[in-house]
């Protein structure tokens, strides 16, 4: 549904579903009405919000940033995540809950991305019922006024829908659901300017829709187990949630011709993870330009690519530091005279001291570099990295190379980015626009609003739709 959000909400409206679910939804809506939580800034009483993350620290960090924003506004936040993330969650001061039925570790986030159909089945759809059950049980266990879940957790959205609790998807990257006017996720395409390019973008969007619809039986089976009506298309799930928060800057994203009624840009969520807050690496006393090589926090079989990058940058007249992150072993990276490898470092502080960032193109690293006015060399290996690379290159804020790039090609790109001032000027302009977006972001008031009036008329209509 590509329409403007209606302001005509009703706390008495129940969009339907099983009798059991209706009764639960009615009780939850009554409690929110009795709380008399107003729209706008602040609430008359704190909300209890369940934040749900998935996978590794790269996904958890934006969720914890959102949690901190909510906590500063006076709300109570608890976090459900993989057991490996307990230290990071508790280090941020949040109560931690883990999964009882849903998969964890590599079973939740498979490292093999060679077959994306199989990856989507294993990561998103096969465990959807387990994620739904864990979410539903946690909502029943402890008061929950709203749920904020990572967008890839389709099953968690089902659990909240069955419990009658408002739900928001948090998307710390470009939209997974195709949006008119924007090349679809994982395509790495630029905005179309010719009939041929428009056809290419449309075909890429249709491939994603078709891929996701192939899992519709699994998703509808999970819905049936909760007494929920079936969906006609997999992406119809997005019409049944109250908000989809794009945790990216509108200035960074390509411009859409239309946005769904419940989409909101809330800007990058970039608090640094606790594990990265180590001492700054010491730089040699030279006048060479300084470069940061930032590895991904996710497991993407990236070691060979990082090895190639290190050897390439080692051949350039620069000083460089590599932050290996959690998934690349230090002993697997080659030692060079001018490249030092560290497990982690606070990227904000390091970026204050460098002139260039080399990255696989994760949204967090790309956004942080641009906010520091730094040009980027992006070498994407999967997921949304190619999409971020396309946006960097179109904006003139850096260059992109394929993951098969030779060492000589990487070295030449580094030299060009350091020698040509227009890249840094473009990165500075884009970073300033992104900063303005972040200053105007409204994630907290949006969650407060949906906790009061979770069922917009458009969502009620979406819930009533049945497959043709």
């Amino acid at each position: 549904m590509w329409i403007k959000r209606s302001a005509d909400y009703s706390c008495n409206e129940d969009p339907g579903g099983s009798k059991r679910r209706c009764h639960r939804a009615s009780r939850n809506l009554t409690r929110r009405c009795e709380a008399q939580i107003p729209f706008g800034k602040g609430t008359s009483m704190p909300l209890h919000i369940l934040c749900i993350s998935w996978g590794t620290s790269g996904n958890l960090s934006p969720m914890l940033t959102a949690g901190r924003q909510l906590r500063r506004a006076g709300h109570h936040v608890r976090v459900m995540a993989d057991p490996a993330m307990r230290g990071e969650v508790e280090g941020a001061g949040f109560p931690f809950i883990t999964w009882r039925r849903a998969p964890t570790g590599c079973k939740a986030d498979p490292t093999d991305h060679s077959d994306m159909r199989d990856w989507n089945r294993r990561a998103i759809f096969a465990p959807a019922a387990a994620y739904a059950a864990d979410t539903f049980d946690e909502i029943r266990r402890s008061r929950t006024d709203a749920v904020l879940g990572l967008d890839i957790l389709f099953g968690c959205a089902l659990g909240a829908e069955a419990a009658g609790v408002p739900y928001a998807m948090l998307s710390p990257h470009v939209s997974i659901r195709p949006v008119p006017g924007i090349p679809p996720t994982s395509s790495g395409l630029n905005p179309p300017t010719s009939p041929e390019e428009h056809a290419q973008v449309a075909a890429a969007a249709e491939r994603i829709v078709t891929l996701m619809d192939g899992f519709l039986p699994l998703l509808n089976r999970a819905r049936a187990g909760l007494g929920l009506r079936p969906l006609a298309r997999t992406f119809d799930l997005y019409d049944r949630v109250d908000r989809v928060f794009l945790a990216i800057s509108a200035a960074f994203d390509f411009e859409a011709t239309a946005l769904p009624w419940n989409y909101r840009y809330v800007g990058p969520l970039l608090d640094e993870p606790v594990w990265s807050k180590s001492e700054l690496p010491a730089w040699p006393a030279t006048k060479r330009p300084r470069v940061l090589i930032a590895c991904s926090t996710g497991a993407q079989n990236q070691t060979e690519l990082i090895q190639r990058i290190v050897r390439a940058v080692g051949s350039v007249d620069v000083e460089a530091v590599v932050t290996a992150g959690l998934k690349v072993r230090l002993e697997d990276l080659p030692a060079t005279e001018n490249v030092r490898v560290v497990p982690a470092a606070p990227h904000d502080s390091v970026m204050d001291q460098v002139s260039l960032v080399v990255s696989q193109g994760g949204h967090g690293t790309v956004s942080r570099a641009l906010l520091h006015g730094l040009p980027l060399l992006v070498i994407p290996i999967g997921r949304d990295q190619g999409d971020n690379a396309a946006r960097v290159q179109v904006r003139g804020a850096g260059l992109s190379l394929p993951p098969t790039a030779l060492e000589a090609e990487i070295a030449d790109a580094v030299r060009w980015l350091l020698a040509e001032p227009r890249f840094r000027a473009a990165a500075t302009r884009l970073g300033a626009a992104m900063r303005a977006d972040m200053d105007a972001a409204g994630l907290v008031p949006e969650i407060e609003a949906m906790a009061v009036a979770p069922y917009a008329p458009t969502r009620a209509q979406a819930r009533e739709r049945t497959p043709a």
Side-chain angles (χ1 to χ4, degrees):
M1 234 175 270
W2 313 95
I3 60 177
K4 292 183 179 179
R5 178 172 64 97
S6 171
D8 181 20
Y9 295 100
S10 171
C11 284
N12 296 317
E13 182 178 14
D14 179 26
S18 68
K19 289 183 178 180
R20 181 181 59 187
R21 180 177 154 278
C22 289
H23 292 158
R24 282 194 303 268
S26 178
R27 288 197 299 270
N28 287 330
L29 288 170
T30 299
R31 184 176 67 230
R32 283 192 290 272
C33 292
E34 290 172 348
Q36 295 181 341
I37 305 171
F39 287 99
K41 297 181 179 179
T43 60
S44 61
M45 65 180 296
L47 299 174
H48 291 73
I49 300 167
L50 173 62
C51 292
I52 309 179
S53 188
W54 168 88
T56 59
S57 181
N59 295 312
L60 179 65
S61 292
M63 186 64 71
L64 292 183
T65 302
R68 292 184 184 99
Q69 292 182 8
L70 290 161
R71 184 170 59 189
R72 285 194 293 269
H75 303 302
H76 303 295
V77 176
R78 64 193 192 278
V79 178
M80 179 181 281
D82 190 283
M85 299 295 104
R86 176 185 290 274
E88 187 73 18
V89 171
E90 293 181 343
F94 295 109
F96 176 77
I97 306 102
T98 194
W99 307 107
R100 295 177 55 214
R101 304 173 184 83
T104 60
C106 290
K107 291 183 178 179
D109 184 9
T111 59
D112 184 2
H113 298 83
S114 59
D115 183 344
M116 286 308 299
R117 181 180 297 276
D118 183 62
W119 188 94
N120 277 278
R121 181 189 62 80
R122 290 188 291 157
I124 302 175
F125 295 99
Y131 281 119
D134 283 354
T135 302
F136 182 87
D137 285 352
E138 176 57 25
I139 291 171
R140 287 197 307 176
R141 184 192 71 83
S142 182
R143 174 183 166 182
T144 305
D145 298 302
V147 179
L148 178 65
L150 206 69
D151 59 350
I152 200 171
L153 293 172
F154 285 17
C156 296
L158 305 188
E161 183 180 349
V165 171
Y167 190 89
M169 290 181 172
L170 181 66
S171 179
H173 40 238
V174 300
S175 174
I176 294 177
R177 180 191 200 182
V179 174
I182 298 180
T185 183
S186 301
S187 69
L189 295 172
N190 294 339
T193 58
S194 68
E196 293 78 11
E197 290 175 349
H198 278 282
Q200 186 181 18
V201 167
E206 183 57 32
R207 283 194 296 271
I208 289 179
V209 171
T210 301
L211 170 68
M212 300 301 270
D213 280 348
F215 303 109
L216 188 60
L218 283 172
L219 190 61
N220 277 337
R221 191 180 308 155
R223 292 182 63 82
L226 294 164
L228 300 174
R229 302 181 72 175
L231 302 178
R233 310 292 299 268
T234 295
F235 281 126
D236 284 352
L237 180 64
Y238 279 61
D239 293 327
R240 285 158 167 78
V241 303
D242 297 272
R243 300 290 188 277
V244 178
F245 293 131
L246 297 178
I248 64 177
S249 166
F252 174 75
D253 202 5
F254 294 142
E255 186 174 358
T257 56
L259 281 177
W261 68 271
N262 54 357
Y263 270 49
R264 306 288 189 275
Y265 283 97
V266 296
L269 300 170
L270 295 176
D271 289 358
E272 291 190 307
V274 173
W275 60 265
S276 73
K277 295 179 180 177
S278 55
E279 292 186 6
L280 285 172
W283 295 98
T286 71
K287 294 184 178 181
R288 289 172 166 176
R290 295 172 177 175
V291 176
L292 168 64
I293 303 169
C295 301
S296 172
T297 56
Q300 299 170 29
N301 296 321
Q302 66 264 44
T303 298
E304 190 277 330
L305 172 61
I306 303 304
Q307 290 170 339
R308 209 172 340 121
I309 292 172
V310 170
R311 288 192 295 267
V313 174
S315 69
V316 182
D317 189 24
V318 298
E319 300 289 346
V321 63
V322 182
T323 53
L326 302 173
K327 301 300 179 181
V328 177
R329 300 189 307 172
L330 272 66
E331 57 268 29
D332 289 338
L333 298 181
T336 70
E337 177 270 331
N338 60 331
V339 180
R340 284 163 303 288
V341 181
V342 298
H347 278 177
D348 276 326
S349 299
V350 175
M351 288 181 185
D352 285 337
Q353 302 176 354
V354 302
S355 301
L356 173 67
V357 174
V358 181
S359 165
Q360 291 170 233
H363 176 258
T365 299
V366 167
S367 294
R368 200 180 300 277
L370 293 171
L371 290 167
H372 282 78
L374 295 173
L376 287 132
L377 173 57
V378 184
I379 308 177
I381 202 171
R383 298 189 179 178
D384 65 327
Q385 295 167 0
D387 306 315
N388 297 326
R391 285 155 176 77
V392 167
Q393 188 151 293
V394 166
R395 302 285 194 268
L399 298 173
S400 175
L401 291 174
T404 55
L406 302 175
E407 290 177 28
E409 295 173 311
I410 296 171
D412 285 345
V414 168
R415 294 187 185 96
W416 187 20
L417 287 163
L418 290 171
E420 177 54 66
R422 65 181 174 89
F423 292 112
R424 182 147 196 170
T428 299
R429 289 193 301 272
L430 180 54
M434 292 170 60
R435 178 71 65 185
D437 280 350
M438 291 174 68
D439 292 342
L443 181 144
V444 171
E446 286 287 348
I447 289 181
E448 291 172 346
M450 81 176 199
V452 181
Y455 300 130
T458 48
R459 185 181 179 201
Q461 294 163 11
R463 284 171 175 262
E464 290 302 315
R465 286 189 303 180
T466 57

